[in-house]
Amino acid sequence: MIEFPTVLDDLMMAQQPILKKTKEIFGYELLFRGKDSLSANISDGEAATSQVLVNLCIGITKLESQLRKPFFINMTTELMLSDAFFPIDPDTVYIEILESQKLTPEFFTALKNWRAAGYRFALDDYQFDTNYQALLPWVSIVKIDVLLTPPAQFATQIAELKSRGLILLAEKVEDAAMFELCKQLGFDLFQGYFLQRPELIKGKRIDSATHGAIELVNALQNKDISIEALTDLVAKNPKLSYQLLRILNSPVCGVSKTVTSIKEAIIFLGLVQLKKWALLITITSSTKQPQSLLKVLLTRGRCCQLLAESKKSPLADSAFMVGMMSGIDAVFNLEKSVVLEQIALDKSLLAAILKQSGELGSYLKQTLSCEEQDWNKIQSMTPGERTTLNRAFLDAMLWADDVVRSIN
């Protein structure tokens, strides 16, 4: 795991991708909560400024160099009104302003100073309140909660915002239908769980490419599979063979020598590691889903694995499998039960995926609480568990980005 400074233990951090119309990742929103209250409300302004500034700068500087995406950050009023600035490139940050922000002369002076320093702003949770139109000239992006503010009812106002040259971001996009509606209304960016949730298609036939991929996944579950049999299976898929060799030759895999054949790679790595990578690449090779979904599932799988490793559990590789396969329904755009019925997973893995039960289920449950920003579940953890989860999730996020770059 990456060694983040201990000061990061004071905050719980989660991230959620922000996507373009193409479902490519535009950036990430980073969400922070204090370790005691797990609440964004901090009463001591001076303490808030120092705590948030130190934590954000240390953490984001680490992330920015590897992810190279814009970050969206909620800022306290105290930090906005202070004289401090982030020691990072303003081009990598959007500072979010809540629509409930008190619009004082001092606040507009602070906006002017931050803008002069090169920082950009997003107006969060905008509900078309005329009192906050004074903020529009200062922001680049307007975020609209489409659950709280149904976009179909505000089509005229949305068009007016577009006419001002503002970038519109739809928050809380929960399904494909809302995603399509928001695209039609002119939204540019999207945030929510629609990407991880497949359309419910009952009785849909599995196409031949998907069926072939599932056959290979099933074969990889056989603990007694031979090197020769696995080599033959992989070699039958030229794209899979090419991608597997690429990733094995990349720094992500940690291989200290160059491999020149699938068989050599299998012998060198061993079946356990190769099964994991072959599963990953099989999934990516047989789906038309965007890379952003792959990053979500990679982060999930790696986080589960790191949580298991932190407990010195012998189930770390199974934990990775549970994390990855927990989103298999979104990968193949089928109901989870339909897909899992056709994959020869151990009962303990199935129980972990479907019911979040057992040791493996506990790792998935913790990972999902961070992914979904479920602060109530996070608050029920011990301080030590929160610190471990925070570090595992951050490390998994960076690792997932490295893996996708290696595959491509």
Side-chain angles (χ1 to χ4, degrees), residues 10-12 32-40 42 51 386:
D10 291 338
L11 290 184
M12 191 68 217
F32 297 85
R33 297 292 185 273
K35 68 175 181 179
D36 296 322
S37 65
L38 293 183
S39 169
I42 306 172
Q51 183 194 42
R386 290 202 294 266

Side-chain angles (χ1 to χ4, degrees), residues 207-244:
D207 59 44
S208 57
T210 300
H211 188 268
I214 290 176
E215 277 189 331
L216 183 51
V217 170
N218 277 334
L220 291 169
Q221 306 312 306
N222 181 0
K223 296 177 182 178
D224 300 319
I225 191 170
S226 67
I227 291 174
E228 287 74 19
L230 185 55
T231 302
D232 289 342
L233 280 171
V234 174
K236 288 178 181 177
N237 187 330
K239 183 177 180 181
L240 172 61
S241 302
Y242 173 73
Q243 288 183 308
L244 184 58

Side-chain angles (χ1 to χ4, degrees), residues 47-111:
T49 298
S50 59
Q51 183 194 42
V52 174
L53 184 64
V54 169
N55 281 276
L56 295 192
C57 290
I58 290 174
I60 292 175
T61 301
K62 279 275 190 183
L63 295 171
E64 139 187 50
S65 62
Q66 299 195 42
L67 293 179
R68 302 178 186 87
K69 300 286 184 184
F71 296 94
F72 288 66
I73 305 165
N74 279 289
M75 296 268 275
T76 62
T77 300
E78 290 84 358
L79 184 52
M80 283 290 299
L81 297 179
S82 75
D83 294 327
F85 293 103
F86 293 137
I88 56 177
D89 185 350
D91 289 339
T92 64
V93 176
Y94 282 93
I95 297 171
E96 294 194 11
I97 305 171
L98 290 175
E99 194 188 43
S100 58
Q101 171 68 49
K102 291 183 179 179
L103 303 183
T104 64
E106 292 78 14
F107 183 76
F108 279 104
T109 299
L111 272 179

Side-chain angles (χ1 to χ4, degrees), residues 63-208:
L63 295 171
E64 139 187 50
S65 62
Q66 299 195 42
L67 293 179
R68 302 178 186 87
K69 300 286 184 184
F71 296 94
F72 288 66
I73 305 165
N74 279 289
M75 296 268 275
T76 62
T77 300
E78 290 84 358
L79 184 52
M80 283 290 299
L81 297 179
S82 75
D83 294 327
F85 293 103
F86 293 137
I88 56 177
D89 185 350
D91 289 339
T92 64
V93 176
Y94 282 93
I95 297 171
E96 294 194 11
I97 305 171
L98 290 175
E99 194 188 43
S100 58
Q101 171 68 49
K102 291 183 179 179
L103 303 183
T104 64
E106 292 78 14
F107 183 76
F108 279 104
T109 299
L111 272 179
K112 182 178 180 180
N113 291 337
W114 281 85
R115 276 280 293 269
Y119 291 90
R120 298 168 296 179
F121 296 92
L123 179 55
D124 196 15
D125 289 332
Y126 187 55
Q127 298 175 45
F128 306 101
D129 188 328
T130 55
N131 292 327
Y132 290 90
Q133 287 200 356
L135 281 173
L136 296 180
W138 294 94
V139 303
S140 306
I141 296 176
V142 174
K143 301 180 71 175
I144 298 172
D145 183 331
V146 296
L147 289 183
L148 189 64
T149 312
Q153 298 177 20
F154 294 90
T156 302
Q157 293 92 327
I158 288 170
E160 196 274 329
L161 290 176
K162 289 289 292 182
S163 70
R164 299 178 68 143
L166 291 164
I167 298 169
L168 300 187
L169 191 159
E171 288 186 282
K172 305 283 180 66
V173 181
E174 299 292 298
D175 54 44
M178 180 59 78
F179 175 63
E180 292 301 326
L181 172 62
C182 290
K183 280 202 301 184
Q184 292 172 16
L185 290 173
F187 282 87
D188 308 282
L189 302 173
F190 309 85
Q191 187 175 359
Y193 299 125
F194 69 100
L195 187 69
Q196 293 103 308
R197 294 176 181 171
E199 298 175 51
L200 294 180
I201 308 175
K202 295 188 178 182
K204 176 183 173 182
R205 290 186 60 189
I206 295 179
D207 59 44
S208 57

